[in-house]
Structure formats: C-alpha cells, structure tokens
Amino acid sequence: MSNCGTRNSIIHGWTSPRLTRSLAGDGSGKACGIFREKSAVIPAFRRSESARAGDLVEAVTYSDDDDDENQGLEFPGGRVTFTPQMKFIAESTDNRVPCYRVLDNNGCPIPGSTFDQVDKETAVKMYRKMVTLQIMDTIFYEAQRQGRLSFYLTSTGEEAINIATAAALTPDDILFTQYREPGILLWRGFTLEEFANQCFGTKDGHGKGRQMPIHYGSKEHNFFTVSSPIATQLPQAAGAAYSLKMANKEACVVAFTGDGGTSEGDFHAGLNFAAVMEAPVMFICRNNGWAISTPISDQFRSDGVVVKGQAYGIRSIRVDGNDTLAVYSAVRAAREMVITEQKPMLVEFLTYRVGHHSTSDDSTKYRSSNEIEQWKTGRSPISRFRKWVERNGWWSDEEETELRKDARKQVLNAIQVADKTEKPSLEDLFTDVYDSPPSNLVEQEKSLRETIKRHHQDFPSDVPI
Amino acid sequence: MLKNLRRAVGAIPFMRNPALASRSYSVSVKQMMVREALNSALDEEMSADPTVFLMGEEVGEYQGAYKAGFTGLGVGAAYYGLKPVIEFMTFNFAMQGVDHIINSAAKTNYMSSGNINVPIVFRGPNGPAAGVGAQHSQCYASWYGAIPGLKVVSPYSSEDARGLLKAAIRDPDPVVFLENELLYGESFPVSKQVLDSDFTIPIGKAKIEKEGNDVSIVSFSRMVGFSLKAAEILAKDGIDAEVINLRSIRPLDRSTVNASVRKTNRLVTVEEGFPQHGVGAEICASVVSDSFGYLDAPVERIAGADVPMPYAANLEIIALPQVDDIVRAAKRACYRSVPLSATR
C-alpha cells in the first residue's frame, strides 16, 4: 500500500476544549460573512511529529490487580464493568423519548414549562415572518403551477422551525441547510425580490441564474448555497465547524436535514466526525414524517432521530417543531452549549410536512387527504402561536388582515417584477467555473460570440449579450 | 519487473536532453525520490501557510478509513477558509466520497456565482500498483478529467511532483492530484531551481521530455518513463520519437500536443486506464479536430486492457501497457512492418 509517510510535518490534531480556550484568536466576534479573513492567524496548536514506522508509542499500563480484573477491564476505549447476566439492550423502550413542548394546542403555556421569555418585538416579528413565509410559499407554488417557474418547494407546516430557529441564532452563526429552510433567510433580511430573482434565474439574483429554484445562497447572510444531494451538507458542516473552532469565534455552525437524510451515509460521517473533533455544530433534524413518499416506518426502526445522538456521543433533545416557543428556547439553549462546550448537539424537531415534497410530487397518491388536512388546519404552528401572541395583547384581527394583504401584494409584485427582469448575460455562462477563466473557455466564449454575430436571428432574444 | 524498470529509468539520459542541458543551475545535481519530492512540497507549503492542513486515511496520526466522511469534511473546511489537502490511500477509495469531489468541490464556485471557492487538493495514488487486484488498480484520470470546475494533474518526475503539488495547494480551485505508487521510490535529478521553496509548475502545460521528429508519443505519470524507454529502442531503428509528458489532464495542453503532431505527423497515446472514453480518446479527438490535415497515419491508442485488473502477476503484466506495446504502436504509425510477437 502507499508508503508515503510524512516526516517533520505539521498536522492539526483534534484539540480538547481546554486547549482551545487557552488559544489566542480573533475573538472580536464581528460578522465577517462566510469567509474568514484570509490573513487571520491560525493558532498553532498541537503540532505533532508523526512517529516513524517502528517507533514504539507510549505503552498503556494495565492494572495487575486480580480483584480489579474480575470487576471490570480496561479495554481499548475505556473501562467496562463485567456482568454475569446475559442481557440484551432492547431495540426499543416502552416509553419513547418525550417531546419538549411549551404551548398547548390552544397556545396556552403549559404549567411548569421552562422556556425563554420572548418580548413583544421579537414575538411579533416572528409571527409576521411566519405568515409571510406561508404566503410566499403559497404564491410561488401557484406560480410554478401556472408555468412561470420550473420548480418550487414549500415549507408549509414547518414555519415555526424556520422562523423560531432563525430568531434564536445570531447573524454570525453559519447555516448549512437542506432545502426546506428559506425562512431563515427571510428572518435574516433576504428580500422577497431576492427570493424571486433566484427562482426566476434573473440577472439581479445572487445566483447569476446558475441554480434551479429554491437553491438560495447568501454570503452576507452566512447562508451556504443549498445543494441538492441529500445530507452532503452534514460532514461539510462539521468541516466548516472545525475551521470555525480554529477561528475561536462566538458562533456556531447549524446544519439541517430531514428524516430521510438520516439514512444517508453522510449523516453517520458528519455526526461521528463532529463528535470526535469536538466541532461546534448543531445538527437539526426536521422529522416531518415523510421523505417524499417514504413514511417514517420505512425510514428507520429507531425511536426517531433523537436516540441516534447518544450513539455518537452527542447530546440531543426532541422538540415539538410546531411550537414556536419550544423551538426558540431549545435552539437558544443548544446554541449556548455548542459554543461554550465546543461540541456538537443534535436537535430533533417533530413536525409534519403539510405540502407535497415539491412541485414534482403529488402526495395524495401515497397519503390520505384527511391526514394532510388534520395537520394543516388542526395543528398549524402559525395558528397556535397566533393565539399566544393575541392573548398577550400583541396582535389583533386588523393587523392580521393588513399583514396578509400586504404580504400577498409584495410577493405578487416581486414575482411580476422578476418575471420581467432580464436573464443573466452570456458571459455568466463562462465565469466562476474556475477562479479565473481557463483558455479553453475564453476561446469558446469568443467563438460563440462570433457565431451569434453571424447568425443573430437564430440566437434566443431573451439572452442579453 | 520493477528492477528492470528502475534500471531502465536510471538509464534515460535526462541531462543529455538538449532542452534541459541549457538550464543547468548547478554542477552537482541532486537526486530526489518522488516520495521525498511530495513530502518536501507538503512540508514547505504547510510551513508557509498555516491554513494548509492534511487529512486522510492513515495520515499522520493513524486516522481511520472514513473517506466519505473526511472528503465532505475537507470540502466544508475549504468552504470556510482553510486549505485542506485530502489524502486518499488510493483513488479507488475516493469513489466512496466522489459526490463531495464532484457535486460539491467542483461545482460550488459556479453554483454559488463565485461566492464560495474551494481551494482544496485531493491527492493519492492512482492507477495500478503491483498485485493489488481489480478494486485497487483503476485509473481515474479520464473520469475526473471530464468535470468542469476541477483541475486534474498527474506528475511523473520528482520535479513534476514538487512543482505541481505546490501549484495545486496554492491554486484557489479544487485540484485532483493523481500520483502513482510505483513512482514513489523512483529517483530523479532535481536542479537548485526545483528545490526552491517557491518552485511551481503551471497547471495546464505539458512538458516535452524528449524532442523528436518522426512520431509523437503522449502520456502521463508512469507511462512517461515507459515512453522514454520505448523512444530509446525506436532510436536504434532510426525512428526519432518525441515524448510528451502531459503533466495536466485538465486543462489538457492541446496546443503542445497539436504543435507536436503538426511537426511529426504521427501520434501514439499511452495510458494505463481503460481504453473507452480514456485520456487518449480525448487527445485523439483534439488532434483530429485541430490537425487532421497533418496526420499521416491513424492515431494509435495504447491503454490498459478492457478488463477489471487481474491479480496474478503474469496476467497483470499482459493487462497493462508495456514498453514493447509502445514500440510496436510507434512502428505501426510509421508504417514499418511489425511482427506479431514482441522482439527487441
């Protein structure tokens, strides 16, 4: 096999939290977008010389005590105590892991619940954004049905997860989402125009028309571009968190996945590596019951996703994803732990995917309309939170009507404008493949432009040259 | 077989190459193994830039075999400002993390409209070794070479190894660095210029290892050595071959290859990988498209046999290009009659 051993090389080992805290670094905590400053000093920690082949490593001393050895033994990985009883760990417990909830179905705080108090300004902002997200989803979905968009994917039923999570984080926290989390961008200030421009692939969009709809990305909002392959963002989030850890910032990485994503190999790799590297990343699983047409019963046989945390040595919690206050409090607490303890956390939100998987799906083919309706009207996170906000005297019917009317108008306007906006120009076909354009692409662009000049009438009129 | 190769490589007169002789920087030329060349390049780049770090299977502190995991990890770290050098024990194992290489590393700069660049290097042995069987012997040059957004290089000599690895680490784009296990122990002369810590070789430029007039032999990595040996044998028969070391698979140095063919009018491509859709196929297409009128003979492609690599040593030899195959192909391109069985 490969014998390319390294001598005198400087290799980053995985540090313990103790070491990390003693390092100097740019702790200013100021926002610097997705890219750290290239010139930032990376603390040199644990430079190690790798052992030459054949050198003995420090031997582990084992206890010679006979009595001791009958009680337990230090195997690789730690000491275990012995038992003469042959006992299997049951594949499931009688009681499932309980689910943290603050507000009941009527939006009343459950007596004895612990949660972070939310002030009027934050609560109203959260509610407004949840409604806006819902309206944005409805209208964009319709636009696709009308043929104005090629594709769309809604977050219907998961507005609380989207908005309350975003509210609980800071702008410095870095997002690696799946695709059902645009509410986070909405909270952070991404405008309806920007959403529309990405979906319509216009020249004003950040994406330069490179990606299919809903694959948003924003450097200034610390939101990594949505990537289609499922769960690939999980080990990437761990890697980014590793890099963040070295930067010693008071921020964390947050990575989303659905219930389906937990069946991917990358889920295992991402969580396992994050645990071993003690990377400051919060893994959030939106367990919404369906992975396209695959129900939970076909997805895994464990007690959901929360129990998988312990398998990796990761602290975890199960939360009612349709309870805005529970989501907010849990994310705030988890974030605190991730940052101070510099280790990963796993949060499982139980919720329901009210909409179809995407515009390419008709979920009535594999689930009953009754089930959908029950969750849509009977257990809407928006209605539940609205009741709490209204009960506090912070919201009224008039404001509701006005909000819905305004949001609808703004979304429709954004779509109309984007639909008419110019598409990206020809040069955007060739840029960004590499950092600087290679000679073959330069030649191809030149050749293409010459062809267009000669056969102008054959070239599509809606592509600006 | 290896001993013969070493002897053959040692016999190739590098410094007698007129192109190189004019550039001798010091009287005593140091010999350096490819392994040492790679290690020294890594060491120097890591010392110069603290954001460069290594990760991989059995790298440094005996990390484990978690290729899908650390490939994704490396991509994520590159997204957020570090410069990872990800090592695969062989590129066969990289297949388990290939989604991260292709769908994330290669395409992200484009898909994010230039906001997220991925300055990552994926390196490791590529192609056959010796007696490691089908799942450890595939050459991935043509697979990765097809992907826009990736740069793909494959060094031959120690000079190549040092210069290309430094260039790859410094490059803001993702680079796939295809080494060869059997070359690790080969020694090559290196000039003082090559030993300089800022020595880099431009990615996308081929090197003419030996100039000639009668036939162009184009290859990369270990096959460059075989091609040089074949050129020696052909010289005895009065055929003056030009040997080109591609150094880069993507971008492919089409202009050097085409200029050569326009001079010699005959082309032989050599690679260890499978023949269909191989590197030789792309070179052939480029030459036919750009220099058709200059070809005096059909292009000869030498490649590995179209079978999963067998394990038995005798079968392995037959499954891979040998020097004799290159000699025969060159003679065919020169319309010399060639007996079916190999003769020296």
Side-chain angles (χ1 to χ4, degrees):
Chain A
M1 275 292 121
S2 162
N3 194 20
C4 206
T6 50
R7 291 175 299 140
N8 303 323
S9 54
I10 299 135
I11 295 162
H12 296 277
W14 319 134
T15 60
S16 70
R18 204 169 26 91
L19 253 176
T20 314
R21 269 185 244 120
S22 71
L23 298 168
D26 177 20
S28 65
K30 61 179 181 339
C32 69
I34 287 174
F35 276 84
R36 286 183 300 109
E37 297 303 311
K38 295 286 186 195
S39 60
V41 171
I42 307 300
F45 59 92
R46 210 162 136 200
R47 291 157 159 250
S48 50
E49 313 249 325
S50 59
R52 262 172 239 275
D55 284 5
L56 291 176
V57 287
E58 224 182 82
V60 178
T61 45
Y62 292 103
S63 160
D64 274 340
D65 193 339
D66 266 349
D67 248 352
D68 215 29
E69 282 223 352
N70 285 332
Q71 301 296 328
L73 191 61
E74 181 127 9
F75 282 102
R79 186 181 160 79
V80 290
T81 44
F82 292 124
T83 167
Q85 310 301 325
M86 179 169 61
K87 258 176 53 169
F88 287 81
I89 302 174
E91 65 269 29
S92 60
T93 54
D94 285 337
N95 301 316
R96 296 187 57 185
V97 170
C99 180
Y100 170 58
R101 169 189 260 213
V102 171
L103 296 177
D104 65 19
N105 282 326
N106 290 319
C108 297
I110 296 167
S113 58
T114 51
F115 63 99
D116 274 22
Q117 194 48 254
V118 174
D119 65 19
K120 175 181 175 183
E121 194 190 324
T122 312
V124 169
K125 184 177 175 191
M126 285 205 284
Y127 182 71
R128 294 179 76 94
K129 293 289 182 187
M130 285 165 71
V131 171
T132 307
L133 176 60
Q134 185 187 56
I135 289 174
M136 181 180 98
D137 272 347
T138 309
I139 298 180
F140 273 86
Y141 188 89
E142 283 169 17
Q144 194 278 343
R145 282 353 241 158
Q146 289 166 13
R148 297 163 86 180
L149 276 183
S150 65
F151 176 84
Y152 193 73
L153 193 158
T154 66
S155 310
T156 317
E158 301 181 51
E159 294 88 354
I161 293 173
N162 267 256
I163 301 299
T165 301
L169 300 173
T170 72
D172 286 342
D173 298 317
I174 298 155
L175 266 305
F176 279 82
T177 60
Q178 181 77 66
Y179 44 56
R180 221 179 285 282
E181 303 87 3
I184 300 188
L185 270 176
L186 191 62
W187 178 269
R188 288 186 169 189
F190 209 61
T191 64
L192 294 169
E193 286 73 28
E194 287 172 307
F195 281 111
N197 278 319
Q198 197 284 327
C199 286
F200 282 86
T202 70
K203 72 169 174 39
D204 290 337
H206 292 265
K208 296 185 194 168
R210 299 275 170 71
Q211 288 253 46
M212 54 188 284
I214 69 102
H215 286 65
Y216 314 109
S218 173
K219 189 166 163 181
E220 68 181 280
H221 296 109
N222 271 330
F223 191 95
F224 272 86
T225 315
V226 172
S227 175
S228 300
I230 300 292
T232 53
Q233 70 277 10
L234 299 177
Q236 289 167 10
Y242 177 60
S243 181
L244 182 64
K245 184 186 179 91
M246 289 165 66
N248 221 350
K249 276 183 74 167
E250 222 187 280
C252 67
V253 176
V254 178
F256 277 86
T257 185
D259 38 283
T262 67
S263 297
E264 284 282 349
D266 273 348
F267 174 79
H268 168 78
L271 268 69
N272 198 42
F273 262 101
V276 169
M277 296 194 309
E278 296 173 13
V281 49
M282 186 190 318
F283 293 105
I284 296 182
C285 176
R286 289 177 299 95
N287 184 345
N288 63 17
W290 293 93
I292 311 189
S293 64
T294 306
I296 289 296
S297 55
D298 287 349
Q299 193 64 255
F300 38 61
R301 290 299 165 89
S302 55
D303 173 14
V305 176
V306 64
V307 294
K308 297 182 203 249
Q310 194 172 50
Y312 297 105
I314 294 179
R315 196 175 305 157
S316 54
I317 185 171
R318 164 173 283 161
V319 182
D320 179 355
N322 289 357
D323 180 340
T324 308
L325 292 183
V327 172
Y328 181 80
S329 302
V331 172
R332 284 222 23 195
R335 179 182 180 276
E336 186 68 29
M337 287 183 224
V338 167
I339 292 175
T340 45
E341 295 180 56
Q342 288 290 300
K343 58 206 287 195
M345 298 282 150
L346 173 64
V347 180
E348 177 186 26
F349 288 130
L350 294 184
T351 180
Y352 188 83
R353 191 197 78 206
V354 169
H356 307 305
H357 166 72
S358 72
T359 49
S360 310
D361 175 48
D362 174 10
S363 61
T364 59
K365 294 252 186 287
Y366 50 80
R367 58 182 184 175
S368 76
S369 319
N370 284 342
E371 180 187 300
I372 303 172
E373 197 52 41
Q374 187 180 36
W375 282 91
K376 184 171 178 180
T377 45
R379 297 175 187 174
S380 154
I382 295 180
S383 319
R384 183 145 47 124
F385 191 51
R386 178 181 171 181
K387 289 179 183 143
W388 183 78
V389 177
E390 278 183 343
R391 201 171 287 114
N392 282 337
W394 298 341
W395 194 251
S396 66
D397 281 344
E398 293 79 45
E399 284 166 296
E400 177 82 12
T401 317
E402 201 186 314
L403 169 66
R404 287 191 177 265
K405 199 175 77 184
D406 274 345
R408 192 175 160 77
K409 200 168 90 184
Q410 281 173 43
V411 173
L412 281 170
N413 192 51
I415 289 182
Q416 271 156 24
V417 171
D419 207 359
K420 296 199 192 73
T421 304
E422 250 187 3
K423 301 295 184 207
S425 65
L426 187 64
E427 75 165 337
D428 284 329
L429 181 63
F430 297 99
T431 51
D432 303 320
V433 182
Y434 296 97
D435 191 64
S436 45
S439 58
N440 65 319
L441 288 185
V442 170
E443 271 168 47
Q444 287 174 27
E445 187 180 344
K446 196 160 132 251
S447 156
L448 178 57
R449 285 183 189 275
E450 279 163 18
T451 310
I452 293 169
K453 227 182 270 173
R454 263 182 281 133
H455 305 280
H456 194 89
Q457 69 285 358
D458 295 333
F459 190 69
S461 54
D462 64 348
V463 180
I465 303 167
Chain B
M1 179 194 85
L2 207 56
K3 238 176 28 193
N4 290 338
L5 175 63
R6 207 173 281 134
R7 208 174 42 226
V9 168
I12 287 164
F14 263 83
M15 291 313 287
R16 274 194 262 140
N17 181 325
L20 272 179
S22 61
R23 270 200 309 116
S24 54
Y25 284 85
S26 93
V27 176
S28 64
V29 178
K30 187 179 144 96
Q31 290 284 331
M32 185 185 249
M33 283 202 279
V34 170
R35 172 183 296 120
E36 213 186 307
L38 294 168
N39 285 339
S40 61
L42 282 169
D43 193 18
E44 287 161 24
E45 292 305 298
M46 285 199 286
S47 304
D49 182 352
T51 63
V52 177
F53 73 98
L54 293 191
M55 198 185 330
E57 295 174 290
E58 304 296 316
V59 160
E61 297 182 322
Y62 300 101
Q63 313 293 333
Y66 314 118
K67 24 242 140 182
F70 64 68
T71 317
L73 226 73
V75 172
Y79 283 171
Y80 195 69
L82 291 183
K83 293 205 184 118
V85 178
I86 308 294
E87 175 177 311
F88 296 108
M89 202 168 275
T90 86
F91 266 94
N92 295 274
F93 306 150
M95 285 206 284
Q96 293 188 291
V98 78
D99 182 271
H100 286 291
I101 300 175
I102 309 288
N103 274 331
S104 298
K107 300 180 184 173
T108 289
N109 195 48
Y110 189 74
M111 292 195 302
S112 72
S113 59
N115 279 328
I116 306 174
N117 76 315
V118 193
I120 195 170
V121 175
F122 301 102
R123 55 166 287 260
N126 173 61
V132 289
Q135 294 175 329
H136 297 86
S137 303
Q138 191 166 332
C139 172
Y140 292 88
S142 65
W143 279 26
Y144 291 119
I147 310 298
L150 280 184
K151 290 183 177 161
V152 183
V153 299
S154 192
Y156 161 60
S157 61
S158 297
E159 175 180 329
D160 289 357
R162 260 184 73 80
L164 287 174
L165 187 52
K166 279 171 173 290
I169 292 173
R170 296 176 189 201
D171 199 302
D173 296 311
V175 181
V176 172
F177 192 89
L178 304 171
E179 301 161 10
N180 184 292
E181 187 181 317
L182 296 176
L183 283 178
Y184 285 150
E186 293 304 319
S187 276
F188 295 87
V190 286
S191 66
K192 212 162 81 163
Q193 187 199 30
V194 172
L195 295 172
D196 185 74
S197 63
D198 272 329
F199 173 72
T200 56
I201 287 178
I203 294 179
K205 208 78 197 78
K207 179 186 177 195
I208 300 175
E209 296 282 351
K210 175 196 173 293
E211 287 190 356
N213 286 297
D214 295 339
V215 58
S216 304
I217 306 178
V218 181
S219 60
F220 60 95
S221 189
R222 188 156 168 257
M223 292 292 105
V224 174
F226 280 34
S227 302
L228 287 166
K229 184 74 181 113
E232 266 199 346
I233 296 170
L234 288 164
K236 294 200 191 90
D237 277 330
I239 297 177
D240 183 25
E242 177 152 288
V243 176
I244 297 178
N245 171 7
L246 281 174
R247 284 180 162 177
S248 294
I249 308 294
R250 174 176 267 267
L252 200 56
D253 190 351
R254 296 163 204 277
S255 56
T256 298
V257 172
N258 276 282
S260 174
V261 172
R262 289 178 185 212
K263 182 173 68 167
T264 67
N265 311 121
R266 296 159 205 280
L267 175 62
V268 175
T269 69
V270 189
E271 67 200 290
E272 290 183 296
F274 299 130
Q276 190 167 340
H277 311 301
V279 176
E282 178 61 32
I283 293 171
C284 179
S286 171
V287 165
V288 163
S289 154
D290 291 348
S291 311
F292 183 68
Y294 292 84
L295 281 170
D296 284 348
V299 176
E300 294 280 340
R301 275 188 306 161
I302 305 290
D306 203 15
V307 300
M309 180 67 68
Y311 170 73
N314 59 333
L315 294 179
E316 192 177 40
I317 290 176
I318 309 174
L320 287 173
Q322 302 303 329
V323 175
D324 301 330
D325 296 313
I326 305 173
V327 170
R328 271 199 302 280
K331 285 184 174 172
R332 275 196 304 270
C334 294
Y335 294 127
R336 304 290 187 87
S337 69
V338 181
L340 276 175
S341 58
T343 56
R344 192 55 70 91

Short mmCIF file of all heavy atoms in Angstrom, two decimals, chain B residues 133-161:
data_model
loop_
_atom_site.label_atom_id
_atom_site.label_comp_id
_atom_site.label_asym_id
_atom_site.label_seq_id
_atom_site.Cartn_x
_atom_site.Cartn_y
_atom_site.Cartn_z
N GLY B 133 -4.93 -6.17 -7.44
CA GLY B 133 -6.25 -6.59 -7.88
C GLY B 133 -7.14 -5.48 -8.40
O GLY B 133 -6.79 -4.31 -8.43
N ALA B 134 -8.36 -5.89 -8.80
CA ALA B 134 -9.24 -5.01 -9.58
C ALA B 134 -9.72 -3.79 -8.82
O ALA B 134 -9.84 -2.71 -9.39
CB ALA B 134 -10.43 -5.81 -10.09
N GLN B 135 -10.01 -3.93 -7.52
CA GLN B 135 -10.61 -2.81 -6.80
C GLN B 135 -9.58 -1.82 -6.30
O GLN B 135 -9.93 -0.83 -5.66
CB GLN B 135 -11.44 -3.33 -5.62
CG GLN B 135 -12.64 -4.13 -6.08
CD GLN B 135 -13.39 -4.74 -4.92
OE1 GLN B 135 -12.80 -5.07 -3.90
NE2 GLN B 135 -14.70 -4.88 -5.07
N HIS B 136 -8.31 -2.08 -6.59
CA HIS B 136 -7.26 -1.18 -6.12
C HIS B 136 -6.40 -0.67 -7.26
O HIS B 136 -5.32 -0.17 -7.03
CB HIS B 136 -6.37 -1.90 -5.11
CG HIS B 136 -7.08 -2.33 -3.87
ND1 HIS B 136 -7.75 -3.51 -3.79
CD2 HIS B 136 -7.23 -1.72 -2.68
CE1 HIS B 136 -8.29 -3.62 -2.58
NE2 HIS B 136 -7.99 -2.55 -1.89
N SER B 137 -6.87 -0.86 -8.49
CA SER B 137 -5.97 -0.60 -9.61
C SER B 137 -6.50 0.33 -10.69
O SER B 137 -5.85 0.51 -11.71
CB SER B 137 -5.60 -1.92 -10.29
OG SER B 137 -5.03 -2.82 -9.37
N GLN B 138 -7.67 0.92 -10.48
CA GLN B 138 -8.25 1.68 -11.58
C GLN B 138 -7.60 3.05 -11.72
O GLN B 138 -7.19 3.66 -10.74
CB GLN B 138 -9.76 1.83 -11.36
CG GLN B 138 -10.49 2.37 -12.57
CD GLN B 138 -12.00 2.19 -12.45
OE1 GLN B 138 -12.48 1.26 -11.80
NE2 GLN B 138 -12.75 3.07 -13.08
N CYS B 139 -7.52 3.52 -12.96
CA CYS B 139 -7.01 4.87 -13.22
C CYS B 139 -8.20 5.80 -13.41
O CYS B 139 -9.10 5.51 -14.19
CB CYS B 139 -6.14 4.90 -14.47
SG CYS B 139 -5.67 6.57 -14.96
N TYR B 140 -8.21 6.91 -12.68
CA TYR B 140 -9.36 7.82 -12.68
C TYR B 140 -9.12 9.11 -13.45
O TYR B 140 -9.92 10.03 -13.37
CB TYR B 140 -9.77 8.13 -11.23
CG TYR B 140 -10.31 6.91 -10.55
CD1 TYR B 140 -9.47 6.01 -9.90
CD2 TYR B 140 -11.66 6.58 -10.65
CE1 TYR B 140 -9.97 4.85 -9.34
CE2 TYR B 140 -12.17 5.43 -10.10
CZ TYR B 140 -11.32 4.56 -9.45
OH TYR B 140 -11.81 3.40 -8.89
N ALA B 141 -8.03 9.14 -14.22
CA ALA B 141 -7.69 10.38 -14.92
C ALA B 141 -8.82 10.84 -15.84
O ALA B 141 -9.17 12.02 -15.86
CB ALA B 141 -6.41 10.19 -15.72
N SER B 142 -9.41 9.91 -16.59
CA SER B 142 -10.43 10.36 -17.54
C SER B 142 -11.75 10.70 -16.86
O SER B 142 -12.45 11.60 -17.28
CB SER B 142 -10.64 9.32 -18.65
OG SER B 142 -11.17 8.14 -18.09
N TRP B 143 -12.08 10.03 -15.77
CA TRP B 143 -13.31 10.37 -15.03
C TRP B 143 -13.24 11.80 -14.52
O TRP B 143 -14.10 12.63 -14.78
CB TRP B 143 -13.48 9.45 -13.83
CG TRP B 143 -14.07 8.10 -14.11
CD1 TRP B 143 -14.03 7.41 -15.28
CD2 TRP B 143 -14.76 7.29 -13.17
NE1 TRP B 143 -14.66 6.20 -15.11
CE2 TRP B 143 -15.12 6.11 -13.82
CE3 TRP B 143 -15.11 7.46 -11.82
CZ2 TRP B 143 -15.81 5.07 -13.19
CZ3 TRP B 143 -15.80 6.43 -11.20
CH2 TRP B 143 -16.15 5.25 -11.88
N TYR B 144 -12.19 12.10 -13.73
CA TYR B 144 -12.08 13.44 -13.15
C TYR B 144 -11.79 14.47 -14.24
O TYR B 144 -12.22 15.61 -14.16
CB TYR B 144 -10.99 13.49 -12.08
CG TYR B 144 -11.34 12.73 -10.84
CD1 TYR B 144 -10.57 11.65 -10.41
CD2 TYR B 144 -12.45 13.08 -10.07
CE1 TYR B 144 -10.90 10.94 -9.26
CE2 TYR B 144 -12.79 12.37 -8.93
CZ TYR B 144 -12.01 11.30 -8.53
OH TYR B 144 -12.34 10.60 -7.39
N GLY B 145 -11.08 14.04 -15.27
CA GLY B 145 -10.72 14.96 -16.35
C GLY B 145 -11.92 15.47 -17.11
O GLY B 145 -11.82 16.46 -17.84
N ALA B 146 -13.06 14.83 -16.95
CA ALA B 146 -14.25 15.26 -17.68
C ALA B 146 -14.99 16.38 -16.98
O ALA B 146 -15.88 17.00 -17.56
CB ALA B 146 -15.19 14.07 -17.89
N ILE B 147 -14.65 16.71 -15.73
CA ILE B 147 -15.51 17.57 -14.91
C ILE B 147 -15.10 19.04 -14.94
O ILE B 147 -14.01 19.39 -14.47
CB ILE B 147 -15.48 17.09 -13.44
CG1 ILE B 147 -15.74 15.60 -13.36
CG2 ILE B 147 -16.50 17.88 -12.62
CD1 ILE B 147 -17.10 15.17 -13.88
N PRO B 148 -15.96 19.91 -15.47
CA PRO B 148 -15.64 21.34 -15.40
C PRO B 148 -15.68 21.80 -13.95
O PRO B 148 -16.56 21.41 -13.20
CB PRO B 148 -16.76 22.01 -16.20
CG PRO B 148 -17.64 20.95 -16.68
CD PRO B 148 -17.28 19.66 -16.01
N GLY B 149 -14.71 22.63 -13.59
CA GLY B 149 -14.64 23.10 -12.21
C GLY B 149 -13.50 22.43 -11.46
O GLY B 149 -13.03 22.94 -10.46
N LEU B 150 -13.06 21.26 -11.97
CA LEU B 150 -11.91 20.59 -11.37
C LEU B 150 -10.67 20.88 -12.18
O LEU B 150 -10.74 21.09 -13.38
CB LEU B 150 -12.09 19.07 -11.37
CG LEU B 150 -12.96 18.41 -10.32
CD1 LEU B 150 -12.89 16.90 -10.50
CD2 LEU B 150 -12.53 18.78 -8.92
N LYS B 151 -9.53 20.89 -11.51
CA LYS B 151 -8.27 20.81 -12.23
C LYS B 151 -7.69 19.45 -11.89
O LYS B 151 -7.81 18.98 -10.76
CB LYS B 151 -7.33 21.93 -11.80
CG LYS B 151 -7.82 23.29 -12.27
CD LYS B 151 -6.87 24.42 -11.94
CE LYS B 151 -7.43 25.71 -12.51
NZ LYS B 151 -6.87 26.91 -11.89
N VAL B 152 -7.09 18.81 -12.88
CA VAL B 152 -6.58 17.45 -12.67
C VAL B 152 -5.15 17.40 -13.17
O VAL B 152 -4.88 17.74 -14.32
CB VAL B 152 -7.43 16.41 -13.43
CG1 VAL B 152 -6.93 15.00 -13.14
CG2 VAL B 152 -8.90 16.54 -13.05
N VAL B 153 -4.23 16.99 -12.29
CA VAL B 153 -2.83 16.89 -12.71
C VAL B 153 -2.29 15.52 -12.34
O VAL B 153 -2.81 14.86 -11.43
CB VAL B 153 -1.95 17.99 -12.07
CG1 VAL B 153 -2.43 19.36 -12.49
CG2 VAL B 153 -1.91 17.86 -10.58
N SER B 154 -1.25 15.11 -13.05
CA SER B 154 -0.63 13.81 -12.78
C SER B 154 0.86 13.90 -13.04
O SER B 154 1.30 13.93 -14.18
CB SER B 154 -1.28 12.75 -13.67
OG SER B 154 -0.91 11.46 -13.22
N PRO B 155 1.67 13.97 -11.96
CA PRO B 155 3.10 14.15 -12.14
C PRO B 155 3.80 12.87 -12.55
O PRO B 155 3.29 11.76 -12.31
CB PRO B 155 3.57 14.57 -10.74
CG PRO B 155 2.59 13.94 -9.82
CD PRO B 155 1.28 13.91 -10.54
N TYR B 156 4.96 13.04 -13.15
CA TYR B 156 5.80 11.88 -13.48
C TYR B 156 7.07 11.92 -12.61
O TYR B 156 7.27 11.10 -11.74
CB TYR B 156 6.13 11.86 -14.98
CG TYR B 156 7.32 11.01 -15.35
CD1 TYR B 156 7.33 9.65 -15.06
CD2 TYR B 156 8.43 11.57 -15.97
CE1 TYR B 156 8.43 8.86 -15.38
CE2 TYR B 156 9.53 10.80 -16.30
CZ TYR B 156 9.53 9.44 -16.00
OH TYR B 156 10.63 8.68 -16.32
N SER B 157 7.88 12.96 -12.83
CA SER B 157 9.17 13.00 -12.15
C SER B 157 9.06 13.72 -10.80
O SER B 157 8.00 14.21 -10.42
CB SER B 157 10.16 13.77 -13.02
OG SER B 157 9.66 15.10 -13.18
N SER B 158 10.19 13.78 -10.10
CA SER B 158 10.21 14.49 -8.82
C SER B 158 10.00 15.98 -9.03
O SER B 158 9.35 16.64 -8.23
CB SER B 158 11.55 14.25 -8.12
OG SER B 158 11.69 12.89 -7.83
N GLU B 159 10.55 16.48 -10.13
CA GLU B 159 10.33 17.90 -10.45
C GLU B 159 8.84 18.16 -10.65
O GLU B 159 8.28 19.11 -10.11
CB GLU B 159 11.11 18.24 -11.72
CG GLU B 159 10.87 19.64 -12.23
CD GLU B 159 11.67 19.93 -13.50
OE1 GLU B 159 12.78 19.36 -13.64
OE2 GLU B 159 11.18 20.70 -14.33
N ASP B 160 8.19 17.27 -11.39
CA ASP B 160 6.74 17.37 -11.59
C ASP B 160 6.03 17.34 -10.24
O ASP B 160 5.14 18.14 -9.97
CB ASP B 160 6.20 16.18 -12.40
CG ASP B 160 6.60 16.22 -13.86
OD1 ASP B 160 7.26 17.19 -14.27
OD2 ASP B 160 6.27 15.25 -14.57
N ALA B 161 6.43 16.38 -9.41
CA ALA B 161 5.74 16.17 -8.13
C ALA B 161 5.81 17.42 -7.27
O ALA B 161 4.81 17.89 -6.73
CB ALA B 161 6.33 14.97 -7.40
#
